Amino acid sequence: MATPLTNEYPTLTLVPPAVAAPILKDESASRKPLNIRTVAGHTNRIAHLARLPHTFRGYQQLGRRWLERYRDDYPLMIASADQGIRDAVGDVAAQTRLKEQRADLRAEYRRHRKVFLGKTAVAAGVVTGGVGFGAVTGSLWLDLATGLGVWGLGAFHGRHRNEAAPTEPSGLLPAAPAIHGSALPIRNEPSAVRESTTVLGEADLVTALVKAGIVSEAQRAETRLVGIIQPAGPGWTATVELPGGMKASSAISRAEELASALRVKKSQVEMRADLSEEGHEGRIVLWVANDANPYGAKKVPSLLLTQQVWDFWRDGVPVGTDARGGRHVLELVWCSILLGGLPDYGKSFLARLVAAAAALDPYMTVHVATGKAGPDWAATKQFAHSYVAGNTPEKILAFMDLLNGLIADMQKIGERLEQLSEESPERCPEGKLTPELAKEWKRGLTLLVVDELQELLDAAAMMKIKTDDDPEGKDRGRSGKDVLVETMARFVRVSRYAGGMGLFITQRPDATSVPTLLREVCRKRASFRVKGAASSRMVLGDDAVAAGAAPHMLLDAQKGVVVLDQGGEDGHVTLKTDFMTIPEFREICLRGRQLRIDAGTLGGFAADYDKKDAAATLPDSLLADCLTVIDADGVGRIRTKKLLEFLITFWPERYQGVAETELQARLRSAGAGGTRKLGPLDGMANPNGYFREQLAAAASK
């Protein structure tokens, strides 16, 4: 028989249950504890109403903040330096450097404490004086205001916050800033693997190296930092000692994987072997930028734009700025350079900087050859000794003639140096051309600019060129491409000690457009953005890429950023190149023409350039014609374009077909100087042109 479930479910009823009668206690037995509890409860309620716990907590917070500001993380930084000294046992140079850093930190800490205690003493004196004044005067309202102020200050700082900010356990150091701009202090205790961009110290950086596959988990204990992680420009840097037997090149080849482990873009990471006196093959220097594009988007005008004359030999070529703001100069004397990269990323800007520096040196001889006609190099006609543009068979043969002529010219300089070394060896102590000899012979340094190399090579590949070493009757000739590459490489080799140098530019960095023979004789190489590591190696070579040069890691937005391999132990550097427009480059070329006219070094192609009408090139005739049309228009200033239109209208047989640049060159040769800013004119804010008094002054000389 089933047991009734009387105890499991309550009986439903609409009648409320009866309330049990209260149990009466002896009040005398519990009166004293009850009174104590009552008083304590009232006291607690009063304290909460007055927010006394908040006040106590507030002054605790103020005391803690004062202590933090008094220390200002200096003990942590000094402790990190101490740890670095202990880790560098056996490395005297590293220990000396770290001890100097520790001494500087201690000196800064002493100065900081002295200043902070002084400020605290002043503030305490003011408060004590105010309270003391209130106590002496005995003013009730002043005492009340002081008490309320003391209470309110503590209550405000001790109030509960909405955010739940967990306090750090005592004994743990606070976390360092995020990796974007990480700085001291550094937390050195091990941390768990996490997917964030915060590096708390050495353990976290080593964890990133493990995640990137640079070192294994078993090698973690052998991997350490030399010194400390510290700010460096717009980023942070660290020197890493790799495990024994591991080469720096192996770590550098995985820079992209390290960027992923650090949760930054690949363009932010720079890795290179430590080439310092203390460095060795198992140590790398890591630099991580704060921003994805540390070079910025702002264009920096070239320093050459404000120079009237330039010494190429002494000053080199100012090319740009690195990510940390340092200026860099390209030294080309005694070597040649190969420049490659994808189209529209800045090759022409860098090449123009080299040509502009050469233009402003009146003792330099410049030869220009480009595989494609266009405006990029047209301005060099003003001062170039040779100029070849195009890729037709006739142009290829003209370029070959130019190369052979340069090789013969370099050999003549070599013969003169050989003779001079026998007669006066002190005048060429290294067997090279010197600046003094260059000016004396008025044919100093020689620069060959070859642009659109891929176009010249493609056109030459479809030709056969007969050479002197071909067997008679065996073939019509050799491949024009092979002959062209060999001839360019020969020029680089024979011209080095004679002051010759080449600038070779290609837009298609592959095996066909960058022959190994030509690349290997170019000591310096530069590459803008390319698509992959293979293209980087085509331009810069295997050694440079293994050392960390990575133009293939540049971003699409980083136009104008170039990886420049200086050759030798100088290593490579990544730069934002200076900017120069085609009109600005033209002005420099016109200036270079005038400099050569004054120095008596203008010759070759530039000397015969645009002699279409002998009468129009005579200075007196040209200036007189310009003054005539200006007076006919009744103005005191005129734009170059309008001046040329008037000249063509008055004397079409003289000036028809003359370009603005040609007119400017002729006026400069006539002594009128360059164009000037005219102010508001013809609806333009500030166009370039000529003033009447400027032309009249030149005509009166």
Side-chain angles (χ1 to χ4, degrees), residues 48-80:
H48 275 282
L49 289 174
R51 297 202 176 266
L52 292 180
H54 291 189
T55 303
F56 297 147
R57 185 167 56 249
Y59 281 104
Q60 288 178 348
Q61 293 287 347
L62 289 174
R64 187 179 298 110
R65 293 173 191 172
W66 182 91
L67 187 60
E68 290 175 356
R69 293 176 183 175
Y70 175 76
R71 293 174 176 172
D72 199 23
D73 290 333
Y74 278 102
L76 304 182
M77 292 188 284
I78 294 172
S80 296

Side-chain angles (χ1 to χ4, degrees), residues 330-332 335-341 347 350-351 354 447-454 457 485 488-489 492 501-528 530 535-542 544 551 562-567:
L330 172 63
E331 301 288 350
L332 269 184
C335 59
S336 296
I337 183 171
L338 175 66
L339 174 59
K347 295 184 303 300
L350 177 56
V354 177
L447 173 66
L448 170 64
V449 179
V450 181
D451 195 9
E452 302 291 350
L453 178 61
Q454 76 283 350
L457 295 179
V485 170
M488 287 188 290
V492 173
M501 65 203 81
L503 168 61
F504 304 96
I505 311 156
T506 179
Q507 286 193 4
R508 198 179 62 216
D510 54 29
T512 59
S513 62
V514 187
T516 303
L517 177 61
L518 179 60
R519 183 191 67 208
E520 293 304 317
V521 296
C522 292
R523 179 184 172 189
K524 300 196 175 185
R525 302 152 194 173
S527 178
F528 288 82
V530 293
S535 295
S536 296
R537 288 190 287 270
M538 286 293 176
V539 180
L540 300 179
D542 295 338
V562 63
V563 179
L564 174 62
D565 180 28
Q566 299 277 24

Side-chain angles (χ1 to χ4, degrees), residues 78 89 93 189 270 368 377 384 438 543 563 577 588 596 628:
I78 294 172
V89 173
E189 69 271 8
E270 287 186 8
V368 177
W377 297 101
D543 293 340
V563 179
T577 56
I588 288 181
R596 284 164 174 75
T628 298

Side-chain angles (χ1 to χ4, degrees), residues 253-271:
S253 65
R254 301 191 66 82
E256 196 166 355
E257 288 79 2
L258 180 59
S260 175
L262 294 174
R263 290 296 184 261
V264 298
K265 292 186 181 296
K266 59 184 180 180
S267 61
Q268 293 176 243
V269 176
E270 287 186 8
M271 298 174 67

Side-chain angles (χ1 to χ4, degrees), residues 58 247 300 339 583 625:
K247 296 186 296 184
V300 179
L339 174 59
D625 291 345

Side-chain angles (χ1 to χ4, degrees), residues 1 33 37 39 103 128 153 183 276 333-334 390 393 400 479 547 664 669:
M1 185 176 184
R37 288 194 300 270
V39 172
T128 304
L153 179 65
S276 64
V333 182
W334 316 128
M400 285 293 304
S479 167
Q664 291 174 358
S669 300

